[in-house]
Amino acid sequence: MNQGRFKNKQVVITGGGSGIGLATVKSFLSEGARVSVLDYQITDELVRTTCDVYQVDVRKSESIKEAVAEIIKKNHKIDVLINNAGIEFVSSLEEMEEEEWDRVLDTNLKGMFLTTRTVLPFLKESHGVIVNTASQLALVGSALFTAYTASKAAIVNFTRSLAIEGAKDGIRVNSVCPGAIHTPLLSRQFENGKKGPQGSIQDLIRMHPLGRLGEPEEIAKPILFLCSEDASFITGSALFIDGGYTSW
Ligand SMILES: NC(=O)c1ccc[n+]([C@@H]2O[C@H](COP(=O)([O-])OP(=O)(O)OC[C@H]3O[C@@H](n4cnc5c(N)ncnc54)[C@H](O)[C@@H]3O)[C@@H](O)[C@H]2O)c1
């Protein structure tokens, strides 16, 4: 029904090679957008889509700048930025190496800053939209996730401040806060039937009042809504898409 909602729109998605990012790529493509993906891992499934793929580590500003310059050379504009690349690292604080703390914060938070800073001049021209992927763990804590939860909480307030800054240029900025979603990132937590930091997968499911995990498409659709004209008065918000996880 919404086919063509993003016709002629140029979308840039970080971390579009897998999970939530890949579902978002496919959703934008199905609604007529041209999509460019910045990811440091190029998956076969991504290559099978019609998006343009750039091998980029979002922690490296030069690599982002080169990709964005190529996107502009080819498409002349950017209308939408989805800052989605992210990693987890599961460790008690005592055992966490400084390098691991930096890796999580640099990927999840600094990468968002670097990518946004590079794309912002083009979003000013297009009066564009940004959606940042945070997490339900932006609002509540979780043992063994100190670096991850710190990065995700920061993303929510980064989003609010950027929304205020961008408003004068007609740029809207929002974050999404997914609950536990069936993606490779989550699978890695429960690999080989081992108990993850949140117990078993059944324990994690029980933490969601809806009684199940989410699917990547259930995050992609709200991301597209936030980027659409239907969300024209929404900026600075954090949309919790977590099956009720934060409502207990
Ligand atoms: N899956 C969940 O349960 C869940 C819940 C809440 C929030 N999130 C967030 O959603 C986002 C997507 O997660 P996912 O579950 O789809 O994970 P995923 O591992 O399936 O996908 C993450 C993508 O980001 C890319 N990436 C990681 N580091 C990068 C870097 N330095 N440079 C470029 N690309 C990089 C990976 O290559 C991968 O393609 C993340 O920000 C994650 O924190 C996930």
Side-chain angles (χ1 to χ4, degrees), residues 53-175:
V53 181
Y54 299 87
Q55 190 154 30
V56 168
D57 184 335
V58 296
R59 294 169 296 178
K60 312 270 188 240
S61 69
E62 277 315 307
S63 122
I64 299 167
K65 280 182 193 163
E66 283 168 22
V68 170
E70 280 187 48
I71 293 167
I72 291 298
K73 198 171 161 194
K74 182 171 178 190
N75 301 293
H76 314 293
K77 64 166 188 165
I78 296 172
D79 301 290
V80 174
L81 170 63
I82 312 296
N83 282 309
N84 171 77
I87 56 165
E88 290 182 341
F89 184 72
V90 182
S91 168
S92 70
L93 190 76
E94 264 186 305
E95 288 165 334
M96 193 178 311
E97 299 291 341
E98 193 176 335
E99 293 71 33
E100 295 301 349
W101 176 273
D102 286 345
R103 195 163 64 88
V104 173
L105 271 290
D106 285 356
T107 305
N108 297 1
L109 187 58
K110 189 178 174 188
M112 199 169 278
F113 154 63
L114 294 173
T115 309
T116 305
R117 191 180 61 173
T118 309
V119 173
L120 210 49
F122 308 105
L123 294 176
K124 280 185 178 179
E125 285 174 16
S126 62
H127 308 302
V129 190
I130 302 174
V131 174
N132 299 324
T133 308
S135 166
Q136 93 276 32
L137 298 181
L139 190 67
V140 294
S142 180
L144 312 184
F145 276 89
T146 48
Y148 185 78
T149 55
S151 73
K152 293 299 182 179
I155 287 169
V156 168
N157 242 15
F158 170 85
T159 300
R160 292 188 179 114
S161 298
L162 192 62
I164 298 166
E165 246 181 78
K168 64 180 185 315
D169 295 307
I171 300 172
R172 294 187 300 106
V173 192
N174 292 291
S175 60

Side-chain angles (χ1 to χ4, degrees), residues 13-23 37-43 46 54-60 63-64 83-88 103 106-108 111-112 132-137 148 151-152 155 176-189 204 208 213-214 216 219 241:
I13 305 182
T14 70
S18 171
I20 293 168
L22 184 60
V37 169
L38 275 49
D39 201 309
Y40 70 175
Q41 276 166 354
I42 312 296
T43 57
L46 183 63
Y54 299 87
Q55 190 154 30
V56 168
D57 184 335
V58 296
R59 294 169 296 178
K60 312 270 188 240
S63 122
I64 299 167
N83 282 309
N84 171 77
I87 56 165
E88 290 182 341
R103 195 163 64 88
D106 285 356
T107 305
N108 297 1
M112 199 169 278
N132 299 324
T133 308
S135 166
Q136 93 276 32
L137 298 181
Y148 185 78
S151 73
K152 293 299 182 179
I155 287 169
V176 288
C177 300
I181 310 299
H182 267 135
T183 68
L185 174 139
L186 191 74
S187 307
R188 285 192 291 272
Q189 253 185 62
L204 183 58
H208 295 73
L213 303 184
I219 309 303
I241 315 164

